[in-house]
Amino acid sequence: MACQNLVDPDSSPSQVLSSATIVAKHTSALCNACRLASSKTANPTAKRHFVQSAKEVANSTANLVKTIKALDGDFSQENRNTCLGATAPLIEAVENLTAFASNPEFASVPAQISNEVRLHTSGHF
């Protein structure tokens, strides 16, 4: 959504700056999550994939930031188009990471209600 706001022709300079801040904050958190996941997995292929994903997210974010700086200096349609082009690799990197991390091997174990709780709460809902 922040990437869409960046390239929206109706976005004001302050909205662009706010969206850029959101993108930077969230991509930084994603990179940190990748590093953490990489350190916690014993699977060497997964470890490499998380590290590579962090690099792709970081590099595409850095490229997007360059275009945002140019856009901030001149809100021309050309700069908006360049910025739009720079959002695509970031979105793709995030989608690829999401698909990989959604693998059941890495997804959190869903919470389950224990039989003991079921016995104590049956009939109370």
Side-chain angles (χ1 to χ4, degrees):
M1 195 164 108
C3 285
Q4 289 173 349
N5 291 340
L6 279 172
V7 297
D8 184 340
D10 295 329
S11 290
S12 68
S14 65
Q15 288 170 316
V16 167
L17 183 60
S18 175
S19 295
T21 302
I22 290 168
V23 168
K25 178 181 172 184
H26 288 284
T27 56
S28 175
L30 269 177
C31 290
N32 288 333
C34 284
R35 287 185 197 95
L36 184 62
S38 173
S39 71
K40 289 192 177 237
T41 184
N43 179 332
T45 303
K47 192 177 288 283
R48 280 191 301 277
H49 197 102
F50 281 121
V51 169
Q52 186 59 36
S53 292
K55 286 179 184 175
E56 288 172 9
V57 168
N59 289 339
S60 55
T61 300
N63 290 335
L64 178 57
V65 166
K66 288 178 192 172
T67 68
I68 292 168
K69 286 180 180 176
L71 179 61
D72 188 44
D74 174 16
F75 277 83
S76 67
Q77 190 56 49
E78 181 182 348
N79 283 346
R80 281 197 191 271
N81 290 342
T82 303
C83 193
L84 174 62
T87 63
L90 174 58
I91 292 168
E92 183 180 356
V94 171
E95 287 173 350
N96 290 341
L97 170 58
T98 302
F100 180 74
S102 296
N103 180 320
E105 181 180 350
F106 309 113
S108 296
V109 176
Q112 294 182 347
I113 297 174
S114 70
N115 288 332
E116 185 178 314
V117 171
R118 280 194 188 116
L119 288 172
H120 289 298
T121 59
S122 61
H124 291 89
F125 291 104

